[in-house]
Amino acid sequence: MSASVVMVADTHPACEVLGPGVRYCVWVQGCPLRCRGCVSPEWIPFEGGTAVPVADLADEIVRTAADGLTLSGGEPFAQARALAELVTRVRARRDLSVMSYSGHTLEWLRRHGDEHQRRLLSLLDLLVDGPYVAGRHAALRWRGSANQRLHRLTDRHRDLPGPDESAGLRIEITPDRRVHWLGVPPVPGFGPAFSRAVSAQSLEGRRE
């Protein structure tokens, strides 16, 4: 994959539940880990998504981000070369906080990651690491299961306010009348249950 393109599953310009403050979020398409119970199974396949030029995405982030950038997915470190370029371009113009999720552990990335993965890691302020484990689901700050850890890789967010508990969810209705949610669900199985509930309501709304 060209470093000049990111395969993007979705973006949001002002998310308040995936990192400190109000953040531009990028969810990438594709994950090799395939965690059972993944909250975004539609973003596991590498087929799909939208090819977005790194330069265009950087321009959008620089123009609209408030406090920082969060990378999720999918697996960001599967597109480490392009995302490292993205962060470098953004940081050349704005000193934004950068956070990423990864199903790999910090130790694995440091010991076994390739040069691009280590480069992306070096650019982060915060990392949430480890695979989602459904049997260890927990309502923690920005994490879905108790094995996942929040690493402060720089001093930028050395002091995070409040207890280590769920940041909650944000539910929105899009201009095309789709209902979607952002964040890390504090209860297991939320994604499928939410989809079923929304579908049922939509069906009821069309009855005459």
Side-chain angles (χ1 to χ4, degrees):
M1 182 181 299
S2 171
S4 61
V5 169
V6 180
M7 294 306 299
V8 174
D10 203 357
T11 63
H12 194 287
C15 180
E16 300 175 351
V17 291
L18 290 172
V22 181
R23 309 177 72 82
Y24 192 106
C25 288
V26 176
W27 291 270
V28 300
Q29 183 74 39
C31 177
L33 302 176
R34 308 186 70 86
C35 300
R36 185 176 182 180
C38 175
V39 74
S40 302
E42 69 276 21
W43 296 339
I44 290 176
F46 283 93
E47 299 77 20
T50 302
V52 181
V54 168
D56 292 349
L57 186 55
D59 287 344
E60 173 72 10
I61 293 166
V62 167
R63 184 171 64 251
T64 62
D67 302 312
L69 167 65
T70 293
L71 307 172
S72 189
E75 171 55 54
F77 281 82
Q79 297 189 48
R81 183 178 180 186
L83 293 178
E85 180 184 341
L86 174 69
V87 174
T88 299
R89 283 177 175 270
V90 169
R91 284 263 180 81
R93 297 159 63 186
R94 289 188 63 190
D95 184 27
L96 291 177
S97 159
V98 181
M99 171 177 170
S100 183
Y101 285 83
S102 180
H104 300 295
T105 65
L106 176 62
E107 293 81 8
W108 188 95
L109 290 169
R110 285 175 170 167
R111 295 172 186 168
H112 305 293
D114 63 29
E115 62 177 306
H116 305 299
Q117 291 171 327
R118 293 194 299 272
R119 171 62 177 159
L120 177 58
L121 184 64
S122 74
L123 296 170
L124 302 179
D125 297 297
L126 294 171
L127 173 72
V128 172
D129 77 340
Y132 172 70
V133 178
R136 300 190 65 189
H137 191 98
L140 302 172
R141 190 198 311 255
W142 309 319
R143 288 116 67 211
S145 59
N147 61 295
Q148 295 176 316
R149 300 171 296 176
L150 174 62
H151 298 279
R152 298 166 177 83
L153 301 178
T154 69
D155 288 337
R156 188 190 292 263
H157 299 294
R158 181 173 51 190
D159 299 317
L160 291 172
D164 185 11
E165 60 186 26
S166 173
L169 300 175
R170 176 172 175 172
I171 298 174
E172 300 179 337
I173 300 177
T174 64
D176 59 357
R177 301 186 63 78
R178 292 184 300 115
V179 180
H180 71 160
W181 56 273
L182 308 170
V184 180
V187 295
F190 173 84
F194 180 84
S195 296
R196 289 193 298 270
V198 170
S199 296
Q201 290 297 321
S202 297
L203 288 171
E204 290 176 3
R206 287 197 293 269
R207 292 174 185 166
E208 296 179 355

